[in-house]
Amino acid sequence: MMEDKRGTEVWIDPEAVRANTRLFRDVVGSQVKVMAVVKADGYGHGALRVARAALEAGAGALGVATVLEGRALRDGGIDAPILVLGAVNAGEAEAALEMNLDVTVFHDAWWEALVRAAERLGRRVRVHLKVDTGMGRLGVTPAEALQIWVPRIVNHPLVKWQGLMSHLACSDVPDTLPTRQQLRQFLDVIEAIRASKTALPPDIHVANTAATLRFPGTHFTMVRVGLGLYGAVPYAGAPALTPALTWVSRVTQVKRVTPGFAIGYHHTYRAEADETIATVAVGYADGYRRALSNRAEVLIHGRRCPVVGRISMDQLTVRVPEGLAVQPGDVVVLAGRDGAAEVAMEELADWADTISYEMLTSISARVPRHWDRFQS
Ligand SMILES: *Cc1c(COP(=O)(O)O)cnc(C)c1O
């Protein structure tokens, strides 16, 4: 396949993923498993490569959002446990079983389809029961879990009860009360299961990245780490992780303009003085969001250059600081380090009024990923 050579690329450092995985292993200790969450193509980094690096560094399981994401990992030769964190509907049950994926259960009809598929194929299915303790998204109520779901799961011969799980809504905000309330509910469910003399499943898990770092009481027997694997900052003041991704583009044109010269669609920027403007080969179709227009900064030769004018589909324009020599072909760092300078993904997210999760997963398929540390 011909590769895009325009020079807009993402570089991913496998050692950063391994180092971050080891950091989480150290945080939780040897008794707790780390699930590496690689949904959405590994938060835009490439799920298979990230999965391999995380498993090399001691991750014990993988998390994906969809059956198809699980299949891509199996097709890539991964045989570690893979949990589909999202819904597996009736039409997907058989594929999930054939791929030996663990399934999150919470809906009667899809449970029925899953069990029927297991009977048809003569295979055991591993399920994780999801309890909604206050996220309001997926999951059964604590009462439903105890009265209907636990008996149903433990009594079916083709079902292996692998996990009990919940998800936290507010683990990354300063107010800890919602997390403590959710944890209380989850602990109550565990207590009630114990009291009924039912054996708990091996994987008990609620914590994402932020909870893993901030609330040791949420570790149970497994944590589900996504964002932190990639080295993005889960909340202000978090322990230092290593960003895995560097996003670069190239200068395509450099011009000198005079005061009042207008730049880009709708002329949202006019030169205030004699200025140097560089055009760069990246735009919102690559995931460099239009909301960054007239707000973001990029690095050229380690110097910050403000984005001026509207970001277009495939191009943007920056003002080059006076005295900095720039020419077509020069590297532009959009996110990551350039010598001593850095634009963090969190800064980009702030400028675009969003979160680093969305910035990372917005980098489009048009941008080639290279699995190596970027050297400018
Ligand atoms: C995405 C996801 C995670 C990982 O969250 P991070 O904040 O990226 O660590 C964990 N659990 C579930 C259910 C998820 O969907």
Side-chain angles (χ1 to χ4, degrees), residues 37 39 43 85 130 167 208-209 224-227 357:
V37 179
K39 61 193 178 189
Y43 291 40
L85 298 163
K130 184 147 194 183
H167 193 55
N208 64 353
T209 296
R224 306 186 301 260
V225 180
L227 195 71
Y357 296 82

Side-chain angles (χ1 to χ4, degrees), residues 4 6-9 247-250 252 265 279-293 298 307 309-317 332 334 348 359 362-367:
D4 186 308
R6 111 195 109 115
T8 301
E9 308 168 330
W247 188 10
V248 302
S249 185
R250 308 283 159 159
T252 47
Y265 284 118
T279 306
V280 182
V282 64
Y284 58 76
D286 299 294
Y288 201 90
R289 301 163 59 111
R290 189 166 173 277
L292 295 164
S293 299
V298 303
V307 172
R310 277 266 202 276
I311 292 162
S312 328
M313 190 179 292
D314 318 300
Q315 312 188 52
L316 58 78
T317 36
V332 179
L334 308 169
L348 272 184
M359 287 305 304
S362 296
I363 302 176
S364 71
R366 178 164 94 175
V367 180

Side-chain angles (χ1 to χ4, degrees), residues 12-22 45 49-51 53-54 57 229-230 242 244 371:
I12 296 136
D13 177 3
E15 183 45 33
V17 175
R18 289 191 287 262
N20 295 327
T21 306
R22 288 193 293 267
H45 295 65
R49 307 303 270 279
V50 172
L229 277 189
Y230 308 98
T242 313
W371 195 248

Side-chain angles (χ1 to χ4, degrees), residues 71 174 212 311 337 341 346 348 362:
R71 159 167 275 165
T212 302
I311 292 162
R337 300 195 76 84
E346 292 68 37
L348 272 184
S362 296

